[in-house]
Structure formats: structure tokens, C-alpha cells
Amino acid sequence: MSLKAGIVGLPNVGKSTLFNAITKQNILAANYPFATIDPNVGVVNVPDQRINILNEMYLPERLIMASYEFTDIAGLVKGASTGEGLGNKFLSHIREVDAIVEVVRCFDDSNIIHVEGACDPVRDVDIINLELTISDLEIIDNRLEKIEKKAMTTKDSDSLVEVATLKKAKVALEKAIPLREIDFTDEEKLKIKSFQFLTLKPIIYIANISEEDLIKDDNNYVIALKKYVKKSKVIKMCAKVESELSELSIEEKEEMLEMLGITSSGLDELISATYDLLGLKTYFTVGTDEVRAWTFKDGMNAKECAGIIHTDFEKGFIKAEVISYADLINCGSELKVKEVGKLRIEGKDYLMQDGDICHFRFNR
């Protein structure tokens, strides 16, 4: 199961610098608007200490970690939804991602141009929220124009539910409430899923601060941002420092973090936070040939998770032999797990748990 997060923000807030750090790719990071035109895509490994320990236990020929795809989307500007800057092209790029990571500048630097003239994180968030909202409203209005009259005439139940749901969404958006904050029923969620509304996508905010502010309490910009987006998670990081950390070896990285007085990389926190935001979990398959991490949605059953490996596994599913990661570590080996009766045989309806180690049996 692939995961794609889109990095958005106004021009010159540190998006491309952050993307460079995430993927260790040398894309253009320039001090002028629209340095990013086409979206840059990078795939990174999800940090997980458990797979490193499993690797030491099994010494496999291949180690495959769960992966995560980041897309660096060009800087939005006021009026993007009506074609300003580079316009709707980039709103369409956002529509393709699962989650939004919005970078917000929370530091002053006279050497770095701010497209709005000065640093103001609340204003910057408002600008992007407005463009996403206008884009969603345009889709709703176009759809209602096509189906509302017909739905009222035919009294078709499905069409009537769709119209009611779209109107519910429109009311919220006109009050500047993003759709992610609206309590839709399961039926309503199905009706609007295909529209890929931008304000429905889960969001995390990155407060991009200066290196000097890393070991200090939140500065006034970060405080204002957290207060304004209180329903969403804010991660404080310095994109410049993260870029420097990405060039170091593991040992050098640990030394630099210690020197800076911080315990972990902001990027590691970002990946973990986005996983939680999307309700994602990890299960493992192990052996001397391969140790691999697989990403699944919380609530998926064993049969569905088998299908992540291959559709044949799901079609011919018989059972899953399951060991919890904690039991394997406590016992020290699969053999010992079996001896103490901790190996479980689970059927197709078993709800997979984070850290499960599985071997699937299926009919070929």
C-alpha cells in the first residue's frame, strides 16, 4: 500500500529545502517564487527500529522497508484558484495526494524574500486555505448545477443524498470550515469520495523555524500558528538543519542531534505523524531470504492484508500464521514462540495489528 503526501506552502517558505532533506535529492531550491514548477516526487523509507532488529535476527538476503512517497508541489499564491501564479495546475497536483504537509515560515530573515512582504504564519495559512476552499466550492457548484434539478424531479434517492451532502459541504466551506472538520456519515463520505476535495484531505503543518529557535520554547510565530490551527498537528523543525542532517551518516547524525540538544529528527516525527494521521500500521514478513515491512490501513483484516502482497494471496486465502513482534522479541526465536504456544492461527476476518509477523497460507 503506497502513501503519498504533498508538500505545499507559499513560495520561499522552505518546501524544496525540506524535500531535499526528505529524499536527499538535489532539486532546485532557489530564492524566488516558482522555483518548483513540475512536482518533484521522492520515495523514502519509513524509519522503524523493529525492522532493523528483525534484520539482525534473520540476516536475510534482502531487507525491504515500508516506503513513503513525498511530492513537492509548487508554491501557491493568492489567487491560484483563479489562475494567479501557476494556477490550477498545482491544485490538481494536490488533489492526487493522500495527505497534505503544509510548510509555514516561522522565522524572520531579510535575505529570504517573502512573497507577501513579511512573515505572518496565520495570514499564510489563510491564503492557502482560501485557495483550496474556492477550488472545492467550484467543483460543488458545477456538480449541483448538473444534478440538483434532475434529482428533485425524479426523486432518485441516491441523487437526493448526493445533493444534500454537497449542500452540507458548501455551507461549511462558505463559513471557511474545511471539510475535514465536518462530521459526515458513512453514506455521505461515499457520495463525496470521488470528488477528491482538497479541504477534506488530512493535514499536518510544519512550522519552519531558524536553527537558533530549535532549542528554545516556541517563538511567537509558532505560538500563533498552533493557536490558529488547533485541530491539526504542528511539527516544529528547521528545514535547513534537516537538510544538513540528511547528508550525514547515522553516527554523525546522532552526534549532531546531541550537539543541537534535540532527541530526534523532525523528519522522523513527520513520517510517524503522517502515518498516524492516515491510520496506517505495519506488519512484517520474515525469513532468511527476505525481511519486509508492509503498510496497511487500521481495520483491515488478514485476507485484505494478504492481498497487499499479491492478489492471489487474497483470492486463495486459507489462514494466517501470526506472531506478535513483542512475543518474538521476548522469546528470542520463532521456535521458542511455538514452544510456549504464542503462535496463532487466524482466519480471514482477523483484524491485523501493528507489529504482527505473518505467514499467509493460500490456494494457488
Side-chain angles (χ1 to χ4, degrees):
M1 176 177 289
S2 61
L3 169 67
K4 184 186 294 184
I7 305 175
V8 305
L10 296 179
N12 300 337
V13 296
K15 293 188 306 87
S16 294
T17 301
L18 177 62
F19 182 82
N20 286 344
I22 289 171
T23 61
K24 297 184 182 178
Q25 291 187 24
N26 264 332
I27 63 161
L28 179 62
N31 181 24
Y32 55 88
F34 313 125
T36 308
I37 298 177
D38 292 322
N40 299 283
V41 178
V43 178
V44 296
N45 289 330
V46 177
D48 191 330
Q49 185 59 28
R50 295 173 300 182
I51 198 169
N52 297 328
I53 293 173
L54 292 173
N55 185 51
E56 293 172 2
M57 290 181 68
Y58 287 88
L59 301 175
E61 296 176 13
R62 296 182 305 278
L63 176 67
I64 303 177
M65 301 176 72
S67 63
Y68 191 111
E69 187 174 299
F70 279 97
T71 301
D72 179 31
I73 298 169
L76 290 169
V77 294
K78 190 182 296 182
S81 58
T82 56
E84 289 297 320
L86 292 166
N88 274 323
K89 178 178 179 182
F90 303 109
L91 294 175
S92 69
H93 291 152
I94 301 173
R95 212 172 295 284
E96 296 170 2
V97 304
D98 301 298
I100 297 173
V101 176
E102 182 172 338
V103 182
V104 184
R105 181 168 158 180
C106 291
F107 66 91
D108 290 313
D109 189 334
S110 59
N111 295 315
I112 301 177
I113 300 165
H114 193 293
V115 73
E116 290 295 319
C119 186
D120 183 342
V122 172
R123 177 207 59 213
D124 293 353
V125 168
D126 265 348
I127 288 172
I128 290 183
N129 283 349
L130 179 60
E131 298 309 319
L132 302 187
T133 296
I134 291 172
S135 179
D136 284 351
L137 279 170
E138 183 179 352
I139 290 172
I140 289 173
D141 286 340
N142 289 340
R143 181 60 178 167
L144 285 174
E145 187 178 341
K146 290 180 180 179
I147 70 164
E148 184 175 9
K149 186 175 181 180
K150 182 180 178 181
M152 297 305 175
T153 302
T154 63
K155 304 298 182 184
D156 175 69
S157 58
D158 284 344
S159 297
L160 288 171
V161 171
E162 182 179 347
V163 168
T165 305
L166 290 174
K167 286 186 173 182
K168 177 179 178 178
K170 182 175 180 177
V171 168
L173 292 171
E174 289 176 339
K175 294 179 180 177
I177 302 172
L179 298 184
R180 73 180 70 90
E181 295 182 11
I182 303 304
D183 186 20
F184 290 107
T185 66
D186 289 341
E187 184 180 23
E188 289 171 337
K189 289 175 183 176
L190 285 174
K191 290 299 178 187
I192 62 174
K193 183 178 180 180
S194 63
F195 295 106
Q196 295 181 301
F197 288 127
L198 300 178
T199 64
L200 191 60
K201 295 182 183 296
I203 191 168
I204 289 176
Y205 292 93
I206 299 295
N208 187 15
I209 59 174
S210 66
E211 184 174 342
E212 293 73 25
D213 282 340
L214 264 180
I215 57 174
K216 298 179 183 178
D217 292 334
D218 293 346
N219 65 29
N220 289 335
Y221 291 139
V222 176
I223 291 171
L225 176 63
K226 286 183 175 180
K227 184 178 180 180
Y228 190 63
V229 299
K230 53 183 177 293
K231 292 186 179 181
S232 300
K233 186 173 181 62
V234 175
I235 297 174
K236 188 170 67 171
M237 71 168 70
C238 175
K240 181 175 177 290
V241 168
E242 295 295 334
S243 183
E244 293 171 358
L245 286 169
S246 71
E247 300 298 326
L248 304 177
S249 66
I250 295 175
E251 294 76 15
E252 291 171 331
K253 178 179 174 181
E254 290 175 351
E255 288 176 8
M256 185 172 176
L257 288 173
E258 185 176 351
M259 182 180 68
L260 291 169
I262 53 181
T263 56
S264 62
S265 160
L267 296 182
D268 289 347
E269 184 181 352
L270 170 60
I271 293 174
S272 297
T274 313
Y275 253 54
D276 290 341
L277 187 70
L278 292 173
L280 298 175
K281 306 290 184 182
T282 303
Y283 76 86
F284 304 96
T285 52
V286 298
T288 54
D289 58 334
E290 178 183 280
V291 167
R292 182 163 182 167
W294 302 87
T295 301
F296 68 98
K297 274 268 193 184
D298 192 22
M300 289 179 68
N301 61 37
K303 184 178 179 181
E304 292 169 328
C305 286
I308 294 172
I309 299 176
H310 197 286
T311 54
D312 287 349
F313 282 33
E314 184 172 7
K315 291 175 183 176
F317 182 91
I318 300 173
K319 62 181 179 179
E321 297 176 2
V322 182
I323 297 172
S324 77
Y325 173 81
D327 286 340
L328 179 62
I329 298 305
N330 290 336
C331 293
S333 70
E334 283 189 45
L335 180 61
K336 188 64 177 177
V337 170
K338 293 175 183 176
E339 288 177 355
V340 298
K342 294 286 188 178
L343 172 68
R344 308 191 312 275
I345 305 298
E346 303 287 1
K348 63 181 181 180
D349 295 326
Y350 166 70
L351 294 181
M352 293 282 284
Q353 301 298 307
D354 186 58
D356 278 347
I357 298 168
C358 301
H359 180 73
F360 295 107
R361 299 290 185 185
F362 67 103
N363 287 316
R364 296 182 183 275

